[in-house]
Structure formats: C-alpha cells, structure tokens
Amino acid sequence: MLTIVYNRQEFEYDTYACVTSFFPGIALRQYFDDVEHKDGNLPEEEKEAPDTLRIELYPEEGFGMASFIAGEILSKTETYTLDLRASFKEEQKAEEKAIAFKKVWKRYFYDLMSKDTGISLPWGSLTGIRPTKLIMTMLREEETEDKVRDRLYDEYRVSEEKMDLGIRIARLEDSILDPFRYKTSADKTTTEGGYSLYIGIPFCPSTCLYCSFTSFPIAVWQKKVADYLAALKREMEAAVRIMKGKGPDTIYIGGGTPTSLSADELQILLENVREIIPMDGVREFTVEAGRPDSITKDKLKVMKQMGVGRISVNPQTMKEETLRLIGRHHSVDDVRRAFSEAREAGFDNINMDTILGLPGETLDDVKKTFEEIEKMAPDSLTVHSLALKRASRMKRWVEEHGAIRGMDYESAMGYAAKAAGALGMRPYYLYRQKNMAGNLENTGYATEGKYGLYNILIMEEVQSIVALGVGTVSKRVWPSGRIERCENVKDVTMYLDKIDEMIARKEALFTIN
C-alpha cells in the first residue's frame, strides 16, 4: 500500500499515472492537505508513515516546485527540489505557465522514477490516450521529422520504437483522412460537414471479466428489446433532423454485442437505419458482431442483405481456459466456426480483436493465439493491451487474487506485429488507456483498403460523432478544433423513459454556435 499526499489536486492524475506505470497493481490511497476530496485529508497517524509519498507544488509562486519524497516508493528517503522559474518567460500568461509547469513536472517525476528503478517506459511520461494526434500536430508544426523525434524525447522521453510506430501511423492516418471533406485551412485539422453515426446496443450474452462498457445480459432484458429498438428509431429520426440533411461518412453499430439481438430484431434495426439515415455518402458500415456465441448464419445473412460491409469476430484469446475464466461462453471452435460462416456469407472485411495480458496467460499462449489467427487470415486485427478499468469485474478480481504479473508485454506485442505482417497488414491506428499492461498501447492493423475508418475518425477527433443509444457520447467538433460532448444515460429503463431528453441534449449540442 502506498499513500500519496498532495497540496494541489490538479497534479493528481499525472502523478498517479506515473507511479502505477512503474509499479503496476500497486494499491494507492490519495489525500489532499488543503482541498476537499472524496478520501478526506490524510489522517494524523499516517503523516509520517514509511510508505508515504508527499508532493508539494507551488506553481503560483513564481512557478517553482519542491517535491518531498519518502518511504518505499524510492530506494531512499530524500527531499528533491526543482526550481522551474527560469523555464518561463515573463510575458507568458498565468494559464500558459501552469500548463508548461505541469508538463515539466511530469517529465521531472518520470526521470526521477526511471533513474531509481532502472526502468524506461515505452511511452515515457506521455499519458494521453491519443499519441498519434499529438504526433500529427508536431508533424504539421515542425520542419523535419528529426525535430519531431527530438521533441518526443525531450518533452516526453518516448522510446525510439514508439516514435517509429507513432510517426508511421500518424502519416498513414493523415493520408486516409485526407478525402474526408477537409476544411480549406492550412492545418487541415477538421472536416467540413461530415459526421459519423454510432449506434449502441447495450446487450450481451454475458459480461466479460475485463469489460467496463455499458452492457446488460440479453436474457434479462429480452422483453425490453422491442421498446429499445423503437426508442433508437426515434433517436435516428431526430438525428437526421438535427444534422439538417447531411449524411454520415461512417456508421458503426457497437455495444455491448449487437448480434446478441435475434435475427428478426437485427433485421428491424438495420431496416430502420437504411430507411431513416441518408446512406449515399456512407463509406463504411460496421457492425461489431464480436462474440462468436452470438453469431449465426441467419444474422450474417441479414447483415449482408442490409449492406453491412465490415464486421468483427472477436476471440480475445484462443486459449480455452482463459475464455472460461474471463466469462466468454464460447469455445475456440466457435471462433473458427463463426469466422468461416462470415466468409461463406460473403464478408471480405472482417476484424478480429485480441487482448494481451489476460490472467494466467503466458507468452506461449499469446504466440499460439496469433498462430491460430494467421490460419483464419482476417482483414484487420486489433491488439489490445489489457487495461484494468475501475468499473470492470477484472478490477475486483485483481484485488482478490493479486496483480497480473509475469507477461513480457513487449514480446507479446511483437508476436502480434509479426502475425499482422505475415497477413500483409500494417498498423493504421493506436490509442492508449489508463492502467494499461506494460505501459503499451492498443494497435489496429489492417490490409490495404480495409482500415477501420470510424476508428481513426473517433480517435483523431477531426469529425463530429452523433451517438445514439444507452451510454453513448456524442461529440461535436468545430472547424476551430473546439470540442463539446453530451451523454446519454447509462440505464436502459431511464433511456426509455427519458428519450425526449436525450434527443434534446443532442439538439442543443449540434445547434449552438
């Protein structure tokens, strides 16, 4: 157990992220001396505890800083002091200095932890979930790629390997995004008029151990499915009205597991989409079929007839014991069966998801998973590093059984990259999450022309997203780069009762100046 005490709450996330990156699975308590906080102020008896990391930051006083570090987090008890006043120009505004101060603090604390532990993290002190968005911005700002590399190291300590990956993906994404009706501006940062449509189906055959998405067992909610589809239809009609005749570039039906619906229910949903939504400009129509135990020939036939072009068949792992442990009620043979039936149904753009770092898995297990995936030869592959989400049952599992350790995550990611390369794929998008295994990333690989366009658009935030259904988040992106969001409620019954309110929220978001 480690206790962290702050006197400034805005430094909580970066410090927490750094500590947990170096010490995955460590139990943390966080307190604040001078502000109200859900954990309260540090109890008197813990103020001198040997496992306490104390941090005092004073950016408002000349933007200097002192950090006091004690106990087991580092190898020795010592007071470290860093004066940053010389780093700032007098004409800088206070908010600019505060942002710069925070960035320098992150790098300083990272260097301190790295020196003491002897560990260099792949992404250094970079904690943002969209590294390629940052890199694309740098590529537009700098004259040469070498200068971008210098900044990535100087500002964030990013490794050469991750620089290579990030720059490669950023350049590819930029070329993929180019046809999406760019604004005629010098930096080409946003799209003109286009949007993407997301439709959430919050039902699943069962809830996986690692899942934190809004999902409910389909067996429990079966009697409400018709009402849910009717509410979704109303949201679709409102979305068409709100977007004033514009059509989406991409449509993505996710969840949950959309194919937890019956074939007849799926038919109703997809018919509503085709009848209500302007389809002329749609470049990609995806249904995240996902769970092999929810995929049938009848559902595949419905999706194909309704014009769905891209689907997912997601094994996560090809190890039977792990599938049972994580709560996926299907077998490895079910994965093979579902994939084969999807090919037979005529789908030529099939994605497969995998997760690295699942409980009990070894490097050999990871290697075998990708060997099996190579045999099936999907068109794209999304490789996730396990992230321990607060709302997932995995978080509680770790608390009961201890941290998941022993996996060489970089080697595991290497197996994934090798398999993707053998299938003629290249990395086309990546993103990161809190508490990721190995401090790595989620990477999407695809063959030429099979890139997940919606994935890129939502990650790089160049286009508005109109999101329908339980637990979804709509996002409006202005030409200036300004972004605002509105959320739908996360409960099915509340969604049905408050559908008019959900529509009003979107109307307000997309009609304000």
Side-chain angles (χ1 to χ4, degrees):
M1 173 67 73
L2 172 70
T3 299
I4 304 181
V5 191
Y6 308 90
N7 73 331
R8 293 188 60 85
Q9 193 166 1
E10 64 265 39
F11 294 94
E12 174 187 14
Y13 170 69
D14 292 325
T15 307
Y16 172 89
C18 189
V19 171
T20 53
S21 294
F22 280 98
F23 298 97
I26 194 170
L28 284 179
R29 293 171 298 188
Q30 301 188 84
Y31 298 96
F32 297 87
D33 278 349
D34 61 345
V35 293
E36 289 297 321
H37 188 259
K38 62 183 180 182
D39 291 329
N41 291 334
L42 181 66
E44 191 67 34
E45 62 272 17
E46 292 190 19
K47 287 189 176 179
E48 302 301 327
D51 60 349
T52 295
L53 162 64
R54 184 174 183 82
I55 300 170
E56 295 184 9
L57 300 160
Y58 304 100
E60 69 277 15
E61 296 177 9
F63 294 87
M65 179 275 284
S67 68
F68 301 89
I69 300 179
E72 297 174 358
I73 189 68
L74 295 176
S75 59
K76 58 185 177 179
T77 299
E78 186 172 330
T79 297
Y80 300 85
T81 302
L82 177 65
D83 189 340
L84 301 178
R85 286 172 292 184
S87 302
F88 305 103
K89 298 175 182 177
E90 194 165 333
E91 63 270 18
Q92 277 184 296
K93 297 179 181 178
E95 57 268 28
E96 293 174 341
K97 290 182 180 180
I99 292 170
F101 179 86
K102 194 173 177 182
K103 183 185 291 187
V104 176
W105 156 248
K106 283 175 63 178
R107 187 175 65 241
Y108 169 77
F109 188 56
Y110 170 84
D111 286 345
L112 190 65
M113 297 286 287
S114 181
K115 181 180 179 182
D116 193 81
T117 62
I119 298 170
S120 295
L121 300 176
W123 289 98
S125 65
L126 190 59
T127 54
I129 68 171
R130 296 178 174 86
T132 48
K133 184 178 182 181
L134 172 68
I135 292 170
M136 266 198 268
T137 300
M138 288 185 177
L139 287 169
R140 286 191 293 268
E141 292 174 348
E142 300 295 347
E143 295 176 2
T144 66
E145 186 178 299
D146 285 343
K147 289 185 177 180
V148 172
R149 291 176 178 275
D150 288 343
R151 282 185 63 184
L152 287 171
Y153 181 77
D154 292 342
E155 295 179 20
Y156 301 102
R157 303 294 192 258
V158 176
S159 70
E160 286 287 342
E161 180 186 2
K162 297 309 175 188
M163 285 185 205
D164 291 342
L165 179 65
I167 291 172
R168 180 183 180 188
I169 290 176
R171 291 198 182 282
L172 177 58
E173 282 187 341
D174 207 30
S175 66
I176 293 171
L177 290 171
D178 193 59
F180 278 81
R181 298 195 291 275
Y182 270 120
K183 293 290 292 183
T184 54
S185 58
D187 60 1
K188 294 185 175 181
T189 55
T190 60
T191 57
E192 182 179 13
Y195 73 96
S196 285
L197 181 70
Y198 179 87
I199 300 172
I201 305 299
F203 308 114
C204 274
S206 62
T207 301
C208 297
L209 190 66
Y210 53 80
C211 183
S212 64
F213 292 110
T214 302
S215 68
F216 305 92
I218 185 68
V220 176
W221 289 90
Q222 189 62 63
K223 292 181 180 179
K224 289 287 187 180
V225 169
D227 292 338
Y228 185 76
L229 294 179
L232 269 182
K233 182 178 181 181
R234 287 189 60 193
E235 258 203 305
M236 288 182 213
E237 292 167 342
V240 171
R241 183 181 72 252
I242 291 166
M243 298 312 287
K244 299 177 181 177
K246 298 174 183 175
D249 289 320
T250 72
I251 300 173
Y252 192 104
I253 302 179
T257 305
T259 44
S260 60
L261 301 178
S262 69
D264 288 342
E265 291 163 344
L266 197 58
Q267 176 96 24
I268 291 169
L269 170 65
L270 296 177
E271 282 181 348
N272 287 340
V273 171
R274 295 202 66 86
E275 290 172 5
I276 296 168
I277 306 299
M279 300 293 290
D280 291 348
V282 174
R283 303 172 187 231
E284 177 182 88
F285 189 0
T286 298
V287 173
E288 190 176 351
R291 292 274 294 262
D293 49 335
S294 71
I295 298 172
T296 66
K297 289 183 179 180
D298 285 345
K299 294 176 190 179
L300 290 165
K301 182 179 179 181
V302 167
M303 289 188 286
K304 191 65 181 173
Q305 288 177 340
M306 290 293 105
V308 174
R310 183 175 182 271
I311 65 169
S312 291
V313 179
N314 298 334
Q316 310 305 1
T317 176
M318 295 292 278
K319 183 179 179 181
E320 297 281 1
E321 295 86 347
T322 309
L323 289 172
R324 289 195 293 271
L325 175 62
I326 63 177
R328 289 178 76 85
H329 298 167
H330 64 80
S331 67
V332 168
D333 282 342
D334 287 330
V335 177
R336 298 189 185 102
R337 186 263 317 158
F339 186 88
S340 176
E341 289 177 354
R343 284 291 195 224
E344 290 170 7
F347 286 98
D348 61 0
N349 193 351
I350 305 175
N351 176 72
M352 300 191 93
D353 279 11
T354 62
I355 300 177
L356 306 180
L358 291 168
E361 293 227 329
T362 66
L363 271 180
D364 281 344
D365 296 326
V366 172
K367 184 178 181 182
K368 288 174 184 175
T369 288
F370 287 111
E371 286 173 349
E372 290 298 318
I373 286 173
E374 278 190 61
K375 293 174 187 176
M376 288 182 280
D379 306 285
S380 60
L381 177 63
T382 307
V383 183
H384 299 269
S385 298
L386 179 67
L388 291 180
K389 299 293 189 66
R390 187 176 301 175
S392 72
R393 291 188 300 120
M394 181 73 80
K395 183 76 171 175
R396 295 190 293 276
W397 188 94
V398 169
E399 290 170 355
E400 293 173 7
H401 297 86
I404 302 166
R405 300 182 185 278
M407 174 71 73
D408 180 347
Y409 295 105
E410 290 199 58
S411 294
M413 190 64 79
Y415 284 134
K418 182 179 179 182
L423 292 169
M425 300 179 189
R426 55 177 170 168
Y428 76 95
Y429 93 110
L430 71 82
Y431 67 100
R432 305 184 69 222
Q433 295 168 278
K434 296 178 184 178
N435 304 326
M436 292 195 74
N439 192 244
L440 292 172
E441 66 282 326
N442 302 322
T443 305
Y445 299 87
T447 55
E448 186 67 34
K450 307 297 184 181
Y451 308 116
L453 302 179
Y454 175 83
N455 292 334
I456 300 173
L457 289 165
I458 194 169
M459 272 302 120
E460 301 313 321
E461 297 185 305
V462 298
Q463 187 180 72
S464 295
I465 307 292
V466 180
L468 318 179
V470 167
T472 62
V473 180
S474 295
K475 179 193 305 182
R476 183 177 177 186
V477 180
W478 273 262
S480 64
R482 168 187 164 199
I483 296 173
E484 290 191 21
R485 298 168 173 81
C486 72
E487 300 181 3
N488 277 2
V489 295
K490 296 182 179 181
D491 179 83
V492 176
T493 301
M494 285 184 66
Y495 172 77
L496 297 177
D497 291 343
K498 295 177 177 290
I499 186 63
D500 290 330
E501 181 184 327
M502 301 304 99
I503 291 170
R505 288 181 188 181
K506 263 181 277 295
E507 194 149 19
L509 175 66
F510 288 100
T511 56
I512 61 175
N513 293 324

